[in-house]
Amino acid sequence: MSEVSSKEMYEVKKTLKELEDKRGRGTELVSVYIPPDKQVSDVTKQMRDELGQSSNIKSKQTRKNVQSAIEVIIQRLKLFPKPPEKGLVLFVGMIPKGGPGTEKMETYVFQPPETVQTYIYHCDNQFFVDPLKQIIEYKEVYGVVVLDRKEATIATLRGKRIDIVKQLTSGVPGKHKAGGQSQRRFDRVIELAAHEFLKRIGRHVDEAFLPIKDELKGVLIGGPGHTKNDFVEGEYLHYEIKDKVINIVDTSYTGDFGVREIIDESEDTLEEMDIMQEKKFMKRFLTGLISENGLSTYGEKEVRTNLQMGAVEVLLISENLKTKRQTYTCPACGTIEMQTTKQHQEAPEKRCPKCNENMKITKTQDTAEELIELADEVNTHVEVISIETEEGNQLDKAFGGIAGILRYKVK
């Protein structure tokens, strides 16, 4: 899987948040997902077909808006001789800004951070963002193991996609009935066979998960009975995989059904993982603040300076950060200055400190986006912190939404 930069992931999450809030008056918002192997000429032809079919829409206003959106898509497709490497996503439609007659055409065209798998044309009163959500979720990889003494199934979960990696059967004998060798001796044979089977499962789990350990977010283990607990508590797993076990689940089944049962039962755990990750980084930051030799910094100016020095190990940005970074350029002498303002605040006028000419705004960018770009340049990990937790609220309210954990003490 290709590496996705923090900036790409931030941008797609930001776009997704904007799109989820958009609503049309009728079923007139058009969403198109184009895989990289799809011919643009084929998509254009299908758009022209949709344009023809849209003449059957009863509502005059909805018909007009759908046709306008499709025409915008056809025009945009002319800019692409072929789809980009990971495909193309387009969201186009008339969004009302108030009462009737206030609709404005909005167009979002971008390359997603992961490959578009399926061609989709969708028309509704809201944009179809589920595939985009799955593209984001796809980055989160979990290992799943369901087992008992008879069989084991090893799988990976990427977003909503389950891939079965390995299925094993044991050959462990069932309960001994009267006759033949003594019960005690037969029980020892069963226990030895069960132990060997757990060792075999452990080897296959290690082979499946160790190569992806850096992107593996957690391991879910389940099954009927106590075998799963023996497996986790025993010395069957490599320590790096064992440390990633986040949930142990009782299931009624093994095999494919058992894998799905584990995932269903672990839904709350999976949702909490992102929050736990955020809490871990915020705890490091807050602990660093009260320590004499702490490696914590906060405030836009300080964090930016430390980022430019390459001193920031983890950049923490509140998802609620609502400021923009503006570049002013003097048309007379070329002097450049930067200023941060609130998102919806009108940019103040600025005079050149060298020649006193009125400076012009030549670039406007979200502050978060600009800091993430800086972080990517110096290999700094970026964590966008939600405001759903107490720590997240603290970052937003008390620290201006921008903080960092340093690699080393800056004098």
Side-chain angles (χ1 to χ4, degrees):
M1 187 183 299
S2 58
E3 188 65 30
V4 176
S5 73
S6 305
K7 180 175 178 289
E8 284 180 300
M9 195 54 73
Y10 168 79
E11 284 177 346
V12 78
K13 284 183 176 179
K14 178 185 158 198
T15 303
L16 180 59
K17 198 169 183 180
E18 288 176 18
L19 291 167
E20 284 184 305
D21 294 334
K22 307 287 184 186
R23 293 291 184 276
R25 293 202 188 281
T27 55
E28 56 200 38
L29 304 189
V30 180
S31 308
V32 182
Y33 292 79
I34 305 172
D37 56 356
K38 182 88 171 168
Q39 295 289 327
V40 171
S41 57
D42 290 345
V43 180
T44 303
K45 182 179 180 302
Q46 287 165 6
M47 288 299 106
R48 293 195 190 282
D49 291 343
E50 294 292 343
L51 194 60
Q53 289 177 27
S54 65
S55 60
N56 298 321
I57 297 171
K58 290 180 182 178
S59 164
K60 182 181 175 182
Q61 193 61 47
T62 300
R63 180 170 68 247
K64 181 185 172 187
N65 289 346
V66 169
Q67 290 174 340
S68 297
I70 293 173
E71 283 166 358
V72 168
I73 291 169
I74 291 170
Q75 291 304 313
R76 288 303 179 101
L77 288 175
K78 289 179 181 177
L79 303 173
F80 298 90
K82 63 177 185 178
E85 185 185 353
K86 295 174 184 176
L88 194 64
V89 183
L90 302 94
F91 298 102
V92 183
M94 298 290 279
I95 306 294
K97 304 299 180 184
T102 63
E103 296 87 355
K104 299 289 183 188
M105 179 66 75
E106 293 195 10
T107 305
Y108 298 80
V109 181
F110 63 96
Q111 301 173 42
E114 291 295 343
T115 304
V116 176
Q117 300 293 332
T118 310
Y119 173 73
I120 296 170
Y121 168 83
H122 189 89
C123 197
D124 205 342
N125 70 333
Q126 58 192 88
F127 290 120
F128 184 50
V129 297
D130 286 356
L132 190 59
K133 283 183 178 177
Q134 288 181 31
I135 283 169
I136 295 171
E137 290 171 351
Y138 195 77
K139 293 303 296 174
E140 298 174 355
V141 185
Y142 293 90
V144 186
V145 184
V146 59
L147 72 154
D148 63 7
R149 285 193 168 192
K150 292 291 184 186
E151 61 178 326
T153 301
I154 302 165
T156 56
L157 172 69
R158 297 177 186 266
K160 298 189 187 309
R161 176 177 151 191
I162 300 167
D163 290 317
I164 303 298
V165 177
K166 190 79 178 176
Q167 292 184 306
L168 306 165
T169 52
S170 69
V172 175
K175 289 183 180 178
H176 177 58
K177 294 184 180 177
Q181 51 194 312
S182 72
Q183 182 69 48
R184 188 176 297 172
R185 184 179 170 194
F186 193 78
D187 286 345
R188 283 201 301 271
V189 170
I190 291 175
E191 289 306 315
L192 181 60
H195 171 67
E196 289 302 318
F197 183 49
L198 293 185
K199 280 171 64 178
R200 186 152 62 96
I201 296 169
R203 283 198 303 273
H204 284 289
V205 169
D206 290 347
E207 284 172 14
F209 296 161
L210 279 173
I212 59 169
K213 63 181 171 62
D214 291 337
E215 59 176 325
L216 195 67
K217 210 165 179 191
V219 176
L220 311 168
I221 293 181
H226 293 287
T227 306
K228 62 183 177 297
N229 303 90
D230 296 339
F231 180 66
V232 175
E233 290 161 13
E235 300 298 317
Y236 300 108
L237 286 170
H238 189 281
Y239 74 94
E240 287 183 283
I241 303 302
K242 193 171 182 176
D243 286 348
K244 288 181 180 281
V245 174
I246 57 171
N247 207 17
I248 302 172
V249 179
D250 284 317
T251 67
S252 304
Y253 303 97
T254 52
D256 294 9
F257 286 116
V259 169
R260 293 183 184 280
E261 201 176 347
I262 290 173
I263 292 166
D264 289 344
E265 291 295 323
S266 300
E267 196 173 297
D268 290 345
T269 303
L270 298 182
E271 283 180 4
E272 286 169 10
M273 281 298 291
D274 280 337
I275 291 173
M276 293 308 293
Q277 175 88 339
E278 291 181 10
K279 280 177 172 282
K280 182 182 79 174
F281 283 118
M282 282 302 296
K283 185 178 179 182
R284 274 184 67 190
F285 164 70
L286 294 168
T287 302
L289 281 180
I290 57 175
S291 167
E292 189 177 333
N293 297 309
L295 298 175
S296 295
T297 182
Y298 65 91
E300 184 187 342
K301 185 179 178 183
E302 291 77 6
V303 172
R304 186 187 303 282
T305 301
N306 287 319
L307 262 178
Q308 289 165 338
M309 292 169 59
V312 180
E313 180 190 343
V314 183
L315 172 64
L316 305 172
I317 294 182
S318 170
E319 66 173 8
N320 202 39
L321 186 64
K322 293 175 180 173
T323 61
K324 57 191 175 185
R325 188 76 169 160
Q326 290 175 314
T327 304
Y328 288 80
T329 306
C330 176
C333 67
T335 298
I336 293 174
E337 289 212 339
M338 312 273 287
Q339 183 165 323
T340 301
T341 56
K342 290 181 180 176
Q343 201 70 262
H344 303 294
Q345 182 182 325
E346 196 171 324
E349 289 188 0
K350 189 181 277 288
R351 287 192 171 275
C352 178
K354 291 185 179 176
C355 66
N356 205 36
E357 280 286 326
N358 270 328
M359 302 183 83
K360 296 189 180 300
I361 295 171
T362 51
K363 186 179 179 182
T364 299
Q365 191 176 19
D366 280 354
T367 305
E369 190 178 313
E370 186 245 353
L371 288 172
I372 289 169
E373 279 182 4
L374 274 176
D376 279 345
E377 286 171 13
V378 293
N379 201 28
T380 292
H381 175 78
V382 178
E383 199 69 29
V384 178
I385 307 293
S386 69
I387 54 171
E388 293 170 13
T389 63
E390 185 183 337
E391 295 88 346
N393 260 309
Q394 210 171 347
L395 176 65
D396 180 40
K397 300 286 194 296
F399 301 104
I402 302 170
I405 300 168
L406 300 173
R407 292 188 169 107
Y408 51 83
K409 193 76 175 171
V410 178
K411 292 181 181 178

